[in-house]
Amino acid sequence: MSKCFYIGIGGTGSKCVDNYVYSCAAGLGPENLWLGMVDQDEGNGNVERSSINIEQYQKVRKILRTPGLSDINSKTNLFKTNITTFPEHSNWPPLKSSGTTKPTLKNIFKFNALKDEIQDIMSSLYHSEEELTLELDEGFRGRPSIGSAAILSRIHENEPFWQNIFNAIDAAQQGHIVKIFLVSSIFGGTGASGFPSIARLLRRILELRGIKDNVYIGGALLLPYFSFPKPPEDEKGIVAYSDSFLEQTRGALDYYGRLFDEKNYQKTFDQLYVVGWDPLIQLKTFAKGGPNQDNPPLLPEMFASLAASKFFSDDVIEDGIYHIAREDEKSFNWQDFPNINNKSNNYVKESIAQFTRTAIAFKEIYFPFLTDKWTKVKNESWIRKTILKQGIDLNEENNKLNLTTILRYFESY
């Protein structure tokens, strides 16, 4: 059994983590999974929502998959994935604030203590007033060059967030298969900087430890797929502008092209999935970061989840770059979803449909009759066989709490 790791980097990455948790609930994930996020903006609404989703998933899975506590059919894939992440440690912010001092590139690298020639180099690479002194507590504001320097300066083996991955890499030397999947946008700050930086660092660690087999690195790279209004006048400066997404993407793709030029560069990814959307999906609001950055779930993020599921489930990892497409330029249908598990893409449709029907049936039918209306149906076969014959007391407070926990998860889905 493979050791599987899914890491969402930046705001888009954390949204994809949220989507992947629901994919696991629908039965599309691996047997065991560790997932986490890398986002400097700890207060980001997308990060918070994903952390809550991880915690709620684990609670529901415990209720439904604990032997003796539930009679869920062992043949169903619902909530099959054991997510081992500790929700309180699900996000790693590369830079920690020190008291009232907010992190900047200047204080990260102790700029004033550097030799004059090093200061000159940094000043030539980064704008001295805007970029070197930019407060980074809410992310890298669409500036990958800032994010790369910050992230690479802070990844260490003794960081609890990274220990799981480094320990798994060591286990590969004993024959264990390790699969690491990264996902981010190509047009942001944290994601665009962290995606290649983290992948190359992992490759470097494998090289230093002499590990040539059993560790595979895959990733989903999201090209521009949404846009948002221009920031208000008082927010202008170093913030993200969706108008610049395509220009940033063009330059970044040239860089990624060189990463896959194995004749002149070290191999970085075993598999890369490229996801975009045309025309861009229009969002209604702008937020530079913090709790207000809580964007709605969007369909392209589902493709990132299915890419990860395929990567985790494939017995043989074939090198390559894959991109999404649709049969009809003017429409989208189930057949446009990719295959996973070497099955037809009906498997994806059936899994999502099964989970959706379960969620709706529980919310609209079973929950009301398992709580305040159960006496009205106590003679029906479904409740007699599954509940009353087992001696379950529906008035017991813990049972009520469990039913409400399941309801809340289905409502969030």
Side-chain angles (χ1 to χ4, degrees):
M1 185 184 298
S2 303
K3 295 178 180 291
C4 298
F5 297 86
Y6 183 102
I7 302 175
I9 308 168
T12 295
S14 62
K15 288 187 68 188
C16 291
V17 166
D18 190 47
N19 189 296
Y20 200 56
V21 174
Y22 288 120
S23 298
C24 291
L28 296 171
E31 293 293 331
N32 292 283
L33 174 69
W34 182 94
L35 50 74
M37 295 167 282
V38 174
D39 201 323
Q40 178 57 29
D41 187 3
E42 292 184 85
N44 184 300
N46 296 324
V47 171
E48 182 181 14
R49 182 166 64 182
S50 299
S51 297
I52 292 172
N53 193 8
I54 293 169
E55 183 177 13
Q56 295 305 310
Y57 174 96
Q58 291 171 329
K59 287 181 178 179
V60 173
R61 187 179 187 277
K62 183 177 181 181
I63 295 168
L64 297 180
R65 288 281 181 176
T66 299
L69 183 61
S70 171
D71 283 332
I72 190 171
N73 192 317
S74 61
K75 294 181 181 179
T76 182
N77 284 329
L78 293 177
F79 293 92
K80 75 170 184 179
T81 301
N82 177 27
I83 296 178
T84 60
T85 307
F86 291 109
E88 62 272 20
H89 297 140
S90 59
N91 182 55
W92 178 67
L95 311 176
K96 295 285 188 181
S97 298
S98 178
T100 58
T101 303
K102 294 183 178 182
T104 66
L105 278 187
K106 257 194 171 180
N107 58 41
I108 291 169
F109 291 99
K110 298 180 173 56
F111 182 86
N112 293 329
L114 296 174
K115 294 180 179 179
D116 290 345
E117 55 267 33
I118 303 299
Q119 287 189 11
D120 291 341
I121 291 174
M122 287 197 69
S123 295
S124 67
L125 292 172
Y126 300 99
H127 191 285
S128 58
E129 295 302 322
E130 288 188 354
E131 296 181 323
L132 285 177
T133 59
L134 175 66
E135 293 179 348
L136 303 175
D137 55 313
E138 289 188 347
F140 304 121
R141 315 287 177 82
R143 297 296 192 275
S145 58
I146 297 176
S148 295
I151 289 173
L152 287 176
S153 71
R154 286 297 185 269
I155 295 179
H156 302 291
E157 290 191 45
N158 57 0
E159 282 277 354
F161 182 92
W162 295 104
Q163 279 179 349
N164 297 284
I165 297 175
F166 291 132
N167 289 342
I169 287 174
D170 288 336
Q173 295 176 313
Q174 281 75 52
H176 294 282
I177 302 297
V178 179
K179 295 182 178 181
I180 303 169
F181 194 86
L182 310 178
V183 58
S184 83
S185 72
I186 197 173
F187 51 84
T190 305
S193 59
F195 188 79
S197 300
I198 292 171
R200 294 180 74 179
L201 179 66
L202 292 172
R203 283 291 179 202
R204 178 64 176 158
I205 290 170
L206 294 176
E207 180 184 347
L208 291 173
R209 298 184 182 183
I211 301 174
K212 297 182 179 179
D213 300 305
N214 299 331
V215 178
Y216 301 94
I217 301 175
L221 191 61
L222 280 88
L223 307 180
Y225 65 100
F226 66 89
S227 65
F228 47 77
K230 289 183 178 180
E233 291 295 327
D234 58 352
E235 290 285 9
K236 291 191 175 180
I238 298 191
V239 294
Y241 292 83
S242 62
D243 290 349
S244 64
F245 283 174
L246 291 176
E247 181 183 351
Q248 289 175 247
T249 299
R250 190 176 294 113
L253 284 175
D254 179 63
Y255 169 71
Y256 280 102
R258 295 196 300 273
L259 281 185
F260 278 90
D261 178 10
E262 294 182 27
K263 294 180 180 179
N264 301 308
Y265 294 85
Q266 183 190 45
K267 175 182 177 181
T268 306
F269 290 94
D270 294 290
Q271 286 186 354
L272 182 66
Y273 295 81
V274 183
V275 181
W277 207 254
D278 182 25
L280 300 179
I281 301 167
Q282 304 294 317
L283 301 185
K284 295 180 180 180
T285 59
F286 165 84
K288 73 173 183 179
N292 292 328
Q293 188 174 333
D294 187 10
N295 295 330
L298 302 173
L299 187 58
E301 292 145 18
M302 187 65 193
F303 280 90
S305 292
L306 295 175
S309 291
K310 185 180 187 311
F311 178 75
F312 291 143
S313 64
D314 282 354
D315 293 327
V316 177
I317 302 297
E318 297 181 358
D319 288 4
I321 303 174
Y322 304 85
H323 63 275
I324 69 169
R326 58 180 183 259
E327 190 174 39
D328 184 344
E329 183 181 352
K330 296 181 179 180
S331 66
F332 175 85
N333 61 65
W334 285 106
Q335 298 305 311
D336 294 322
F337 275 137
N339 304 339
I340 63 171
N341 289 334
N342 297 317
K343 301 178 181 179
S344 71
N345 51 6
N346 280 337
Y347 178 77
V348 173
K349 176 183 178 180
E350 290 165 1
S351 297
I352 296 173
Q354 173 188 232
F355 186 52
T356 304
R357 286 194 298 267
T358 302
I360 293 173
F362 187 87
K363 180 181 185 299
E364 300 297 338
I365 301 172
Y366 292 104
F367 181 80
F369 285 115
L370 289 171
T371 50
D372 56 336
K373 296 181 181 180
W374 73 270
T375 56
K376 296 180 180 180
V377 293
K378 64 182 180 181
N379 293 322
E380 294 189 16
S381 60
W382 71 267
I383 195 168
R384 284 191 289 105
K385 292 180 179 180
T386 61
I387 303 292
L388 303 180
K389 267 192 176 182
Q390 310 299 324
I392 295 171
D393 182 3
L394 291 174
N395 289 319
E396 200 268 322
E397 285 302 317
N398 195 51
N399 288 331
K400 288 182 178 180
L401 179 62
N402 286 344
L403 291 170
T404 301
T405 299
I406 297 171
L407 174 69
R408 295 289 176 258
Y409 194 80
F410 284 147
E411 285 179 334
S412 70
Y413 166 68

